[in-house]
């Protein structure tokens, strides 16, 4: 598949960063995965492994094009997480580092994070703030336990936590996570839902310019939309969401949202690559701002690099892979290929998503891609930001940072409303009034 966008050569401002991120991932992930699997220990959650890359290289670290330092956090924990999420190690490295192509989102949200997509759109690299990084390390054990207990969790799937540092540059922390949206299906509408109405409106007038923009709570309500799920699917979804939100509350997390991507089966794929990039590269964040075309970071690896990568991959494929708990064998790489169905994962069972169904369980014409994203904001961080902001702004009502308990309640309330048809919502409201 060809990426459309502005091709950026090696002189691009972020080329070196992107290249170093991928080189670091390639070397550190294959290093960890080459070892025989073992059980995790407490120390694994705190572990960090530092590598210094340079042009010369040594027995442990292959030579790289640039000088940089790379840190791999909790490598064994993430190896196990990837196995729990049933990623194939060779597949993972191939997607990210097979061709050294990343696509960069030009205009990040108000958080300042950058998003990069792997060339096959399966993975997202998100740069995160130091506080988010520290927080993820702190909650890693709870997160790991949660994923073990909840294979169908809707929370972001974290596959790696790393840091790059270039000479004289600042430290850049980043996570690798799942792209909720499938590489092979057009997403016709996207919503980012928090359950709050303040500032949760994408200007409808701008939709003409940017038809695939990420819409928000008020846009959802205005459209009188609902997720059409039969009783059983609705229960599965809400039950899992409750469990996930319970963890977020416990960890004092807030500001997360439910990302909803809708594929209309009738419209199908327009096979319009330009549209596809617009969709993929327009996440928007809190304050979408102007749409900027993506830049594609692209370079053809040298023959030598290719040979080395092929060797590493062959080596990894030969090495024993971790087997997820309750499984008797590990997945074969090509099981994921067609349609990106992920067998065993409830919310990815229909073409990588969750098919809309009527009350009688007959299928409807939409496929939903659902997940809880941006879940690394600790209440402490937001409080500080709010404090700072309030000092600048007179209008204190603009900001409604809720404590995690209330945030979670409001979120769950809103999302369960999202799964109700008009009649159902009215009935529930009447029942509540009567009680
Ligand atoms: P802010 O803190 O301002 O909300 P942020 O930089 O933390 O922004 P996120 O909220 O994580 O960014 O994501 C912004 C947008 O990027 C989302 O609304 C969504 O459109 C897209 N996005 C984020 N994560 C994913 C994902 N895992 N899969 C697909 N799209 C994603
Ligand atoms: Ca967000
Ligand atoms: Ca954020």
């Amino acid at each position: 598949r060809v990426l459309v966008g502005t091709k950026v050569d090696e002189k691009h401002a972020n080329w070196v960063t992107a290249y170093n991120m991928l080189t670091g991932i390639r070397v550190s992930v294959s290093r960890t995965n080459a070892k025989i699997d073992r059980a995790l220990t407490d120390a694994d959650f705190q572990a960090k492994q530092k590598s210094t890359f340079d042009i010369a290289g040594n027995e442990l670290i292959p030579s790289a094009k640039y000088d940089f330092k790379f840190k791999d956090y909790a490598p064994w924990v993430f190896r196990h997480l990837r196995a729990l999420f049933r990623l194939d190690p060779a597949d993972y490295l191939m997607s990210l580092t097979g061709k050294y192509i990343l696509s960069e989102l030009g205009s990040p949200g108000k958080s300042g994070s950058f998003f990069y997509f792997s060339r096959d759109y399966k993975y997202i690299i998100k740069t995160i703030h130091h506080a988010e990084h520290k927080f993820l390390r702190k909650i890693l054990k709870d997160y790991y336990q949660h994923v073990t207990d909840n294979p169908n969790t809707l929370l972001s799937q974290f596959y790696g936590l790393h840091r790059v540092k270039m000479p004289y540059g600042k430290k850049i922390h980043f996570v690798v996570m799942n792209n909720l949206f499938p590489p092979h299906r057009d997403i016709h509408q996207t919503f980012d839902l928090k359950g709050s109405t303040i500032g949760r409106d994408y200007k409808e007038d701008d939709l003409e310019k940017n038809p695939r923009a990420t819409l928000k709570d008020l846009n959802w309500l205005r459209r009188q939309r609902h997720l059409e799920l039969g009783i059983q699917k609705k229960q599965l979804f809400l039950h899992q969401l409750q469990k996930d939100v319970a963890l977020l509350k416990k960890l004092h997390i807030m500001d997360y949202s439910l990302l909803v991507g809708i594929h209309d089966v009738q419209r199908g794929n327009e096979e319009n690559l330009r549209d596809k990039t617009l969709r993929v590269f327009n996440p928007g964040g809190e304050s979408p701002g102007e749409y900027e075309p993506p830049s594609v970071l692209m370079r053809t690896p040298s023959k030598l690099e290719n040979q080395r990568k092929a060797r590493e991959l062959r080596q990894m494929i030969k090495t024993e892979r971790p087997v997820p708990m309750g499984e008797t064998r590990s997945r074969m790489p090509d099981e994921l290929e067609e349609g990106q169905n992920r067998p065993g994962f409830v919310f990815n069972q229909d073409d990588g998503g969750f098919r809309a169904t009527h009350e009688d369980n007959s299928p409807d014409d939409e496929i939903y891609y659902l997940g809880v994203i941006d879940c690394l904001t600790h209440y402490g961080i937001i409080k500080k930001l709010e404090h700072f902001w309030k000092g600048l702004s007179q209008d204190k009502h603009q900001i409604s940072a809720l404590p995690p308990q209330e945030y979670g309640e409001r979120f769950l309330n809103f999302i369960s409303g999202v799964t109700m048809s008009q009649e159902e919502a009215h009935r529930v409201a009447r029942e509540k009034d009567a009680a």
Side-chain angles (χ1 to χ4, degrees):
R1 192 185 295 272
V2 195
L3 281 181
V4 178
T6 321
K7 191 169 161 184
V8 177
D9 62 14
E10 296 184 29
K11 289 184 198 90
H12 185 275
N14 286 335
W15 161 252
V16 176
T17 311
Y19 179 92
N20 292 347
M21 281 173 164
L22 296 184
T23 306
I25 291 174
R26 178 169 57 76
V27 171
S28 60
V29 168
S30 45
R31 182 199 286 144
T32 306
N33 269 86
K35 295 173 186 154
I36 304 283
D37 198 16
R38 60 163 175 79
L40 294 182
T41 66
D42 275 351
D44 287 322
F45 290 86
Q46 269 92 54
K48 43 188 167 187
Q49 192 167 42
K50 203 167 167 176
S51 314
T52 302
F53 287 84
D54 55 36
I55 321 238
N58 59 45
E59 331 69 86
L60 293 175
I61 299 167
S63 70
K65 244 178 117 62
Y66 310 100
D67 289 351
F68 68 100
K69 293 204 167 90
F70 189 85
K71 247 188 198 177
D72 192 11
Y73 295 94
W76 276 93
V77 177
F78 284 103
R79 169 176 170 168
H80 279 235
L81 278 170
R82 291 191 298 270
L84 286 170
F85 291 124
R86 301 197 210 168
L87 298 190
D88 181 79
D91 218 40
Y92 179 71
L93 278 188
M94 225 22 196
S95 296
L96 281 165
T97 70
K99 281 221 178 95
Y100 277 81
I101 295 175
L102 279 184
S103 312
E104 184 198 51
L105 169 68
S107 70
K110 86 171 171 211
S111 76
S113 286
F114 277 76
F115 289 82
Y116 298 87
F117 297 82
S118 65
R119 78 189 156 110
D120 58 5
Y121 296 117
K122 283 188 190 167
Y123 305 107
I124 293 180
I125 290 176
K126 180 185 180 184
T127 64
I128 56 174
H129 290 274
H130 182 242
E132 291 177 295
H133 151 87
K134 256 176 67 184
F135 185 63
L136 177 55
R137 293 190 67 202
K138 198 171 127 198
I139 64 164
L140 192 56
K141 205 159 181 191
D142 292 280
Y143 175 79
Y144 182 83
Q145 192 56 47
H146 185 77
V147 172
T148 309
D149 300 341
N150 298 271
N152 290 303
T153 180
L154 290 154
L155 301 180
S156 284
Q157 304 184 352
F158 295 119
Y159 303 140
L161 174 64
H162 314 283
R163 188 188 93 182
V164 282
K165 162 126 180 37
M166 267 87 78
Y168 311 109
K170 59 176 199 273
K171 295 164 182 162
I172 301 167
H173 297 94
F174 61 99
V175 285
V176 187
M177 59 186 183
N178 58 327
N179 181 3
L180 270 173
F181 300 152
H184 62 294
R185 288 278 171 269
D186 278 358
I187 294 295
H188 298 106
Q189 257 184 337
T190 309
F191 293 91
D192 181 298
L193 304 173
K194 286 186 176 177
S196 137
T197 46
I198 301 166
R200 301 294 298 161
D201 202 357
Y202 182 85
K203 254 175 83 189
E204 303 273 351
D205 289 350
D206 292 349
L207 260 182
E208 230 165 287
K209 261 198 314 214
N210 196 1
R212 299 278 166 91
T214 304
L215 304 176
K216 296 180 183 178
D217 303 60
L218 287 173
N219 309 97
W220 175 276
L221 294 172
R222 205 172 287 128
R223 280 165 180 68
Q224 308 202 328
R225 277 221 64 126
H226 72 280
L227 294 180
E228 178 84 10
L229 295 171
I231 298 165
Q232 201 204 358
K233 279 189 163 177
K234 187 191 293 191
Q235 253 176 19
L236 283 169
F237 171 64
L238 290 178
H239 186 61
Q240 186 56 57
L241 198 65
Q242 270 158 18
K243 293 210 275 179
D244 292 339
V245 170
L247 177 78
L248 299 176
K249 283 193 206 166
K250 185 183 115 181
L251 299 173
H252 299 280
I253 295 169
M254 45 151 335
D255 220 31
Y256 46 87
S257 46
L258 180 76
L259 191 62
V260 180
I262 301 173
H263 172 76
D264 182 337
V265 178
Q266 289 298 323
R267 277 170 78 183
N269 274 6
E270 280 145 40
E271 289 302 344
N272 183 336
L273 286 171
R274 224 191 109 65
D275 266 7
K276 194 172 284 288
T277 36
L278 277 174
R279 180 259 295 175
V280 173
F281 297 107
N282 187 28
E286 262 302 273
S287 44
E290 286 297 293
Y291 170 72
E292 274 179 40
S295 24
V296 178
L297 298 164
M298 194 177 301
R299 192 183 63 92
T300 321
S302 71
K303 203 171 156 193
L304 248 161
E305 273 177 318
N306 272 336
Q307 283 170 356
R308 186 179 62 217
K309 264 180 280 182
R311 220 172 27 242
E312 278 170 11
L313 288 172
R314 268 198 306 278
Q315 188 55 42
M316 282 183 44
I317 294 163
K318 268 193 271 165
T319 322
E320 197 190 336
R321 294 190 214 111
V323 179
M325 271 168 26
E327 291 246 319
T328 47
R329 64 176 184 95
S330 47
R331 241 192 63 250
M332 293 312 286
D334 48 22
E335 273 177 42
L336 262 187
E337 286 305 313
E338 244 338 280
Q340 241 212 350
N341 274 338
R342 303 184 59 195
F345 288 105
V346 171
F347 305 111
N348 308 105
Q349 59 182 300
D350 311 308
D351 236 341
F354 203 40
R355 178 113 192 200
T357 50
H358 301 292
E359 290 280 296
D360 65 358
N361 237 355
S362 60
D364 196 356
D365 278 345
E366 290 180 330
I367 302 176
Y368 304 131
Y369 296 87
L370 305 162
V372 177
I373 59 155
D374 205 7
C375 37
L376 290 179
T377 311
H378 184 240
Y379 187 48
I381 303 172
I382 261 285
K383 272 308 239 191
K384 274 181 215 148
L385 285 174
E386 188 185 349
H387 192 73
F388 171 74
W389 169 257
K390 275 187 175 165
L392 299 175
S393 145
Q394 295 305 95
D395 190 358
K396 295 183 167 65
H397 305 288
Q398 285 298 313
I399 295 208
S400 64
L402 280 187
Q405 288 295 327
E406 289 161 56
Y407 189 93
E409 291 307 321
R410 184 179 68 181
F411 180 77
L412 277 178
N413 245 321
F414 187 83
I415 304 301
S416 62
V418 157
T419 63
M420 289 178 201
S421 64
Q422 287 273 304
E423 308 90 75
E424 208 180 342
H426 286 310
R427 198 180 62 231
V428 170
R430 272 200 305 277
E431 280 165 13
K432 264 193 187 154
D433 283 347

